[in-house]
Structure formats: structure tokens, C-alpha cells
Amino acid sequence: MYPPSRKDFISLTLSDAHSHSYNNGKHRRQSCWRKWKQLSRLQRSLILLLLALILIFGLLSYPSIPPEWKAFSDRDEWLELNDREVKDDLPDVLSVLDLPAAKVPPPAAGPHVGPAVGPDPAVVEPKGPNIPIFPKPPIKSFPNKRGPPGMRKDGNISDTVVEKKQVQEVVKEEEGGEEDKEKKIVSWRGAVIQADQATEPPPSANGKEAAAPPAPADSADPLPLDVSGRTEARLEAVRDAFRHAWKGYKDYAWGHDELKPISRTFGEWFGLGLTIIDSLDTMWILGLREEFAEARDWVEKELSFDKNVDVNLFETTIRVLGGLLSTYNLTGDQLFLDKAKDIGARLMPAFKTPSKIPFSDVNIGKGTAHPPRWTSDSTLAEVTSIQLEFRELSRLTQDPQYQEVVNEVMKLVHKLPGKHDGLVPMFINTNSGQFTHKGVFTLGARADSYYEYLLKQWIQGGKTEDDLLEDYLQAVEGVKKHLVRQTGSGRLTFVGELSHTRFNPKMDHLVCFLPGTLALGAHNGLPGDHMDLAVQLMETCHQMYKQMETGLSPEIAHFNLQASDGQDIFVKPADRHNLLRPETVESLFYMYRFTKDTKYRDWGWDILESFNNHTKVPGGGYTSINNVRDIENPAPRDKMESFFLGETLKYFYLLFSDDMELLNLDKYVFNTEAHAFPIWPSPPK
Ligand code: DMJ
């Protein structure tokens, strides 16, 4: 036998060693077992209990282990893939917005934001490494699912990825938080309203008597002679729509808040004849003399605010106070200013709170105010979207108390910590004056007009109030950074929502005020990329109408970030209603005024036709509908909101009118209910 080679030797040695250790191990296991058997039953139970406790403690403490300690080989791959996916998207966003590299909007699923909230048809579960991750609701809400993917019930690796990103995001925010806050909190310099400005009479309010409303053809400001036949036909179509709506209201709901056109009756909200007051200046602008005269008559003889009724401060301010002030400015009729003073004074008790942040509800008869029954919070948009009206009331009455209370609210909110790059939470507490329900950021319901009024107050005040401008500019940057995204297929730019760092690709129709506001800012000298974004968002709002079977937008749209199936907009069954809202038409009006691009008028015309085709009720009135996707049965909701006459039809008319002096945007600023107030003259330099 040959002596074993070196290779054989090594192999034999290893095999011996293996066999040795195996036998040793076996021996050890046997002796352990013997020792275990020798223990008493009590000792064995105690040891088992101890082991169980260690195991439970280990599982529970897993979530607090730093993410880098729970690395899984595939997690980093997913992270890289996500970032790549996002970087691929960025050049388009950049070229659209013309942003410098430092202001690049963050990735759709990158480290600045979490994933979209699901389940959602627009959000596809990951099937392979090339699909960006938009997983199920965050694991945070389901602590029993924490742990490695294999240990979780669904074993979805994407959750792990998301989780790491969320942790990183939170850490990042905490690290930079204090310094950022320091930078953001700037001292309030106060609303600068010069004494001589406040004494300036409104441009059209010199006469005590009401002038006759302008007639379409022979008004003091007649339409240019070269108005095309099509323009006049469109203007007449708007007047027709108004007359039809008014007929229904007059026949079945006269003096009440809203018409229910299907059941041919009325709905009451505050019992203040909301539709009449909201419509006054629209009738004046459209030149509807007869209708205006009968409405004025009602205001003079029937309207009384001496009523034991709870009204919502915001809604009453924007519709009633706003409507009366606007009509006074247009007509110079003292009746409307007297009524405005009356309701303004009756709303003042709302501001008597520990924090000076007003309550949501006021009893205008008793002079008492209170928050809603279930909370002491007020809605952020509500307390910050009453300023144009109260400031205008102060200017006209020379009584500073109104502007003082609303300026105080802005002053408090300006200084308040808890904003996210200029974005504000949706609620504020009337006791503490602090934001509540933090972490949710939207440009839709409950926050929308906060942003609108930052810009518009700055414009109203002659562009002197720097804090308002600063907050607005910061907010727009925050919107671009955290909320603006594009769909994967059609590259539609939209404004989504952030919910505790998770991005939700959902946009309320309410957000369609934003293109108009951004365009107004750009017109007033703000950065050109605001206008670029306005153009993109306007296209999206147009698509929200165009892609629906009825040609009418749903209340809420969801956007598809994937490129896979080519569908950009999804509508959930519960979001398919249309309330005759004005925001898109409003923005089309601004876009047309500033660009003169006739496509905006054509888009508006399509919308008016769709309203006529699917919401016009025979016999009078228009109705909100439940299903914009069903052309056969859009399912009427039997309600005509006052803003359809106050805003939607007014903006249609202004969109189609060639008369740029008709509420010239360098002289007037519209409140959030489309009531126009004069811009105060700038103080001499
Ligand atoms: C109106 O009352 C106002 O435009 C408000 O700002 C938002 N809601 C409605 C119209 O949609």
C-alpha cells in the first residue's frame, strides 16, 4: 500500500476530525439529556419558563433594533432598485419644472417619503425587482407582523424595505429638526395696513346709491366690438345656465339656503338664504338686471341675521360676508355694506378663545361660539381663510377690530412649529393654539385655502406683508418637494398627500384651485417655475374631466405611478360624485387671463356642456351627481350647492369674456368663494 498522499492525508484527517467531533457531540447530547432527566419537575419547569420569556423578549425587542442590524441580503438590492426607479423619473420632472439640482423633488418611494398607502387599484404589489414597491399598510400598525420577511404572515419583503426608509426618514427629520425650525421661525412684522390705505374708498364705492347692474350689451364697460360670435354665444350659454339654475331656486327654494332640484324643494344649512347672497355679484357681473333686482329686494326686506342659529364661521364668512362685501364694492349700494357689518359683528364671538384661534361655530343670535361637539380643534383652512373678508370689512368700516383678530391668527400660525417645509397639518387646537393630528399633509380638504390665502392676502395688502409671502414661497417649495409626482404612463403631474411620511397618490378635485393660484403668484412676480407647475397641473385637472364618461371630474382621483397598464387615473366607487365644484373652471380662468391660450376656454366650454348634459334638471336647477362614470345613470344627488351660482358659473363667464377689465386681476383679488375685493394701493416708497 502506498503511503497516503498529502491530499489523502488531509481528507482522512478531516474525516477523522469530523467523526470525532460528531461522536463527541453525540456523547455530550446524551449526557445533557441524562442531566435534564435528573432535574426535578419544578426545576425543569422553571428553566422552560425562563427560556420562553427570553424568546418572547427577543421577539418584542426586534423592532427597536437599528435597521442596519437587521440587514437582509435582498433588502439593499430592493433599496437600490427603488432609488434607480426614482432617478429614472427625475429628469422629466426637472425639465418640466426647470428646477436646479438642489431642489429636485424627492423620489416617489425614496428616502424622503414612504410608499403609497394601499390597497389601491393604482398601486400594484411588487412582482419582481423592476417594479417599484408600493406595499400594504405600514407594518407599524400591525406590530405582530414585525420581524424578518420569512417570519411574517405575508412574508412581503417590500414591507421591510419600506420600514427601513421610514426609520431613516424619521431619524433624518429628528436630526435636522431643531436647526431647520430655527431657520423657519422668523419674527412676525405684522400686517402693514397704512392709515391712508384704509381711508381709500373702494374703486366703485363712491356713490351711495346702487348703480344699475351692467347689461351684457350696454354696460358702462361694454364688451369690445370685435367680440367673436362664438365668444358671445358662450357668454350667453353661461347666462342661460344661470337663469335655469335661478328658476329652479326661485320656484322651489326661494329664501332658503339651497335648492333640491329633483324633489323640487329646498335644503337648509344656516337658514340665511345662502344661494341668494352667494349669487348677488354673479348676477351683477353677468348683467342679469331683473334677477339682481329681485335678490336685492329680498336682502333688503327679508334677510335678518338676528336668528338663534349656529353657523359655521368659515362658510358664513366666505359666502355671506364675502358675497355682501363684493356686491357692495361692485355696486356701491350701502345696503350690502350695512348687512356685511351686521354679520361681521355677529361672527366676532368666535375669536374669544384661550388661544385666539377661532371656534368653528357661532350662534349669531346669542353671540356665543363653540367648537364642534366632538373636539376642541378647528380646521386649519377654515381659520386661515377668513382673512381677506375681515380685513376688507375693516378697510370699509374703518374699524380695525376685524382685521386685528384675523391677523392675529396668521401671526400665530406663522410662528407655529410643526410645519413640514411650509406644509401645514389639517387641525389646530383652540385651547393650546398648537397643530394637532400632525403628520398628514394635503393640498385638499381642510388645508387647501390656507395656501391660497397666503398669496391672496399678500396681494390684497399691496404686497407689503413679507411673512405671508415667505410662508407662501416656502409652502410651494414644500409642495414640490413632498407632494408633486407624475404618473408612470401619461406623465400627468399631480399633487398627492403625505400621511406620516407615506406618499398617497390621491388628489381631491379641490386641489384644482392650485394651478390658478400658482399662475396668479407668477403673474405677481413670483418664480417662473410656479407657472410651469401651474401649466402641468392644469392639464391634469382637465384630464380629470376628460377621462370620465360624463366629462365631469370625480370628487377624488387616484393616480397611477406605474407605467405598466397605461391608465393614469383611477376613481374609487365612493369618490365618483361631482358636486358642481368650481376649482377647475376657476383655474382655467386664471390660466386664460395670463396666457391667452384659447385651449383653456375650449376646455372650459367642454365642462359647461357636460354640466348641461348630465346635471341640468328639467324644470329648473342643476344637481350634483353620484357617478361621473355612468353616462346612462349619473345618479342625481338632488342638491344644487350655492357655490355653483356663486363660483362655477361666474368663473365660466369670466373665462369666456374678452373684457379684461371685467374684474381686472391687477385690481381685484377673489376670495375662495369667487367674491372680488379691491387690491389695496401700495404705500408710497
Ligand atoms: C367653496 O365653498 C369654496 O371654494 C371653498 O374654498 C371650497 N369648497 C367650495 C367649492 O368647492
Side-chain angles (χ1 to χ4, degrees):
M1 205 180 182
Y2 291 100
S5 67
R6 189 167 182 270
K7 193 176 156 196
D8 289 340
F9 175 77
I10 292 170
S11 136
L12 275 171
T13 314
L14 284 177
S15 143
D16 278 352
H18 179 256
S19 149
H20 178 74
S21 93
Y22 173 73
N23 286 337
N24 266 355
K26 194 175 168 189
H27 177 75
R28 260 199 311 272
R29 275 199 298 277
Q30 278 170 357
S31 81
C32 275
W33 179 245
R34 259 203 307 279
K35 280 182 186 153
W36 175 255
K37 295 287 270 180
Q38 283 162 4
L39 295 173
S40 73
R41 181 168 294 182
L42 180 67
Q43 285 170 318
R44 286 205 299 257
S45 307
L46 277 173
I47 290 170
L48 282 175
L49 184 68
L50 204 64
L51 284 173
L53 283 175
I54 289 170
L55 186 68
I56 290 167
F57 178 75
L59 284 174
L60 286 178
S61 62
Y62 182 84
S64 58
I65 298 172
E68 61 273 25
W69 290 11
K70 3 176 191 174
F72 299 105
S73 58
D74 42 5
R75 180 198 61 192
D76 294 326
E77 272 173 46
W78 279 99
L79 282 172
E80 272 175 35
L81 282 165
N82 271 340
D83 287 347
R84 189 162 62 238
E85 196 63 49
V86 163
K87 278 175 204 140
D88 285 347
D89 281 5
L90 287 181
D92 290 320
V93 179
L94 271 179
S95 64
V96 167
L97 303 183
D98 196 23
L99 292 175
K103 290 180 183 172
V104 168
H112 295 284
V113 288
V117 175
D120 189 297
V123 171
V124 182
E125 283 290 315
K127 294 193 179 66
N130 289 325
I131 302 169
I133 300 163
F134 300 106
K136 294 172 182 172
I139 312 159
K140 263 186 196 163
S141 334
F142 304 96
N144 59 325
K145 285 195 180 179
R146 294 301 290 258
M151 285 176 65
R152 292 202 302 265
K153 278 183 205 151
D154 58 359
N156 187 347
I157 192 167
S158 60
D159 287 348
T160 312
V161 178
V162 168
E163 190 180 321
K164 183 188 173 187
K165 290 179 178 210
Q166 285 167 353
V167 172
Q168 285 173 335
E169 175 64 13
V170 169
V171 169
K172 242 184 167 177
E173 300 219 331
E174 278 170 3
E175 278 169 357
E178 280 313 303
E179 201 188 320
D180 278 0
K181 270 177 225 157
E182 291 262 330
K183 273 187 229 150
K184 278 173 212 155
I185 296 170
V186 242
S187 66
W188 169 257
R189 287 179 288 280
V192 184
I193 301 175
Q194 306 287 333
D196 59 339
Q197 286 177 338
T199 53
E200 182 85 19
S204 55
N206 294 323
K208 295 276 176 222
E209 291 301 310
D218 61 348
S219 66
D221 254 341
L223 294 170
L225 292 175
D226 61 349
V227 161
S228 72
R230 190 166 71 163
T231 295
E232 186 45 46
R234 286 178 171 180
L235 292 173
E236 191 51 30
V238 181
R239 287 186 212 105
D240 280 347
F242 189 96
R243 286 188 200 103
H244 185 81
W246 190 248
K247 179 184 180 331
Y249 175 76
K250 224 178 115 176
D251 288 353
Y252 309 116
W254 185 249
H256 298 284
D257 285 339
E258 288 154 347
L259 167 68
K260 296 175 93 169
I262 306 290
S263 51
R264 300 190 167 179
T265 179
F266 58 84
E268 213 67 290
W269 194 3
F270 310 135
L272 298 179
L274 276 187
T275 295
I276 297 180
I277 305 176
D278 223 358
S279 305
L280 284 165
D281 57 1
T282 304
M283 291 182 270
W284 183 268
I285 291 162
L286 269 56
L288 300 172
R289 294 169 182 239
E290 255 177 54
E291 292 83 351
F292 181 85
E294 61 200 3
R296 186 199 178 281
D297 201 46
W298 181 87
V299 171
E300 185 178 29
K301 299 190 178 124
E302 307 289 332
L303 178 61
S304 167
F305 296 126
D306 190 11
K307 281 186 164 180
N308 178 7
V309 60
D310 276 355
V311 303
N312 174 281
L313 170 69
F314 164 74
E315 297 290 355
T316 308
T317 299
I318 65 169
R319 299 186 199 215
V320 179
L321 180 57
L324 293 166
L325 288 172
S326 173
T327 309
Y328 171 68
N329 276 318
L330 291 173
T331 64
D333 185 337
Q334 187 66 29
L335 167 71
F336 299 109
L337 183 56
D338 290 345
K339 290 290 179 187
K341 275 193 258 182
D342 188 7
I343 188 65
R346 288 170 187 274
L347 293 174
M348 288 297 276
F351 295 88
K352 286 190 190 134
T353 69
S355 66
K356 300 186 180 166
I357 298 295
F359 288 132
S360 61
D361 299 296
V362 195
N363 188 304
I364 52 173
K366 290 188 191 161
T368 54
H370 58 88
R373 245 170 303 161
W374 57 91
T375 176
S376 55
D377 289 350
S378 284
T379 295
L380 203 275
E382 293 194 359
V383 302
T384 55
S385 310
I386 48 181
Q387 279 67 16
L388 292 177
E389 298 81 356
F390 276 78
R391 285 157 47 120
E392 176 65 0
L393 184 59
S394 272
R395 190 183 73 87
L396 291 175
T397 59
Q398 293 293 289
D399 181 348
Q401 63 166 323
Y402 306 109
Q403 76 185 29
E404 280 167 7
V405 288
V406 293
N407 283 346
E408 182 66 17
V409 176
M410 294 314 293
K411 186 172 157 183
L412 292 169
V413 173
H414 174 71
K415 287 193 284 192
L416 207 53
K419 293 184 199 137
H420 189 47
D421 287 330
L423 304 177
V424 288
M426 294 150 75
F427 295 96
I428 188 163
N429 190 271
T430 49
N431 292 320
S432 69
Q434 300 294 313
F435 291 129
T436 62
H437 300 82
K438 292 181 196 167
V440 179
F441 300 101
T442 175
L443 264 275
R446 297 188 182 278
D448 49 359
S449 42
Y450 161 74
Y451 303 100
E452 179 187 350
Y453 269 39
L454 285 176
L455 178 75
K456 288 183 172 177
Q457 286 175 82
W458 178 70
I459 292 173
Q460 178 191 40
K463 305 187 201 174
T464 57
E465 296 151 285
D466 295 343
D467 289 342
L468 295 166
L469 176 62
E470 194 180 303
D471 287 351
Y472 177 73
L473 288 173
Q474 199 185 17
V476 175
E477 288 310 306
V479 170
K480 289 195 289 187
K481 182 174 173 188
H482 298 288
L483 305 181
V484 171
R485 296 289 183 276
Q486 284 191 323
T487 57
S489 176
R491 293 285 171 206
L492 287 182
T493 303
F494 68 96
V495 180
E497 298 183 353
L498 261 196
S499 180
H500 303 286
T501 75
R502 276 180 300 286
F503 182 73
N504 189 358
K506 153 188 183 277
M507 181 166 128
D508 294 352
H509 180 272
L510 288 169
V511 182
C512 288
F513 81 92
L514 190 58
T517 297
L518 288 168
L520 180 64
H523 175 74
N524 279 279
L526 303 189
D529 67 350
H530 289 203
M531 190 63 185
D532 297 336
L533 182 55
V535 169
Q536 297 292 307
L537 291 172
M538 193 72 260
E539 168 71 36
T540 302
C541 292
H542 163 59
Q543 291 296 332
M544 284 166 64
Y545 284 74
K546 197 171 172 223
Q547 294 189 19
M548 298 302 118
E549 286 74 359
T550 55
L552 293 172
S553 169
E555 177 74 356
I556 300 171
H558 283 77
F559 291 86
N560 188 356
L561 293 164
Q562 321 287 334
S564 48
D565 65 1
Q567 202 175 348
D568 287 302
I569 301 178
F570 289 88
V571 187
K572 294 182 177 178
D575 303 334
R576 290 182 178 169
H577 47 294
N578 179 297
L579 305 183
L580 312 172
R581 285 195 191 279
E583 291 76 17
T584 295
V585 188
E586 168 186 357
S587 282
L588 288 170
F589 155 64
Y590 285 103
M591 295 303 287
Y592 178 75
R593 281 270 172 116
F594 298 136
T595 66
K596 301 288 184 304
D597 186 336
T598 52
K599 80 177 178 198
Y600 296 124
R601 284 182 161 179
D602 295 340
W603 293 355
W605 179 248
D606 290 344
I607 295 174
L608 180 58
E609 285 197 313
S610 298
F611 277 132
N612 277 329
N613 290 338
H614 303 289
T615 70
K616 190 173 179 179
V617 180
Y622 287 75
T623 178
S624 47
I625 55 173
N626 262 326
N627 192 352
V628 296
R629 308 229 65 164
D630 191 341
I631 203 157
E632 295 302 323
N633 179 18
R637 283 168 83 108
D638 194 17
K639 185 169 179 174
M640 184 175 78
E641 297 269 3
S642 74
F643 55 66
F644 182 63
L645 292 85
E647 291 193 74
T648 313
L649 294 178
K650 184 188 291 153
Y651 283 129
F652 272 129
Y653 192 85
L654 294 173
L655 168 66
F656 299 141
S657 171
D658 284 331
D659 184 359
M660 298 300 133
E661 283 307 307
L662 186 57
L663 298 173
N664 182 330
L665 287 171
D666 292 319
K667 295 180 185 161
Y668 288 90
V669 63
F670 287 89
N671 85 340
T672 195
E673 189 75 6
H675 299 303
F677 307 141
I679 294 170
W680 307 340
S682 298
K685 296 219 162 120

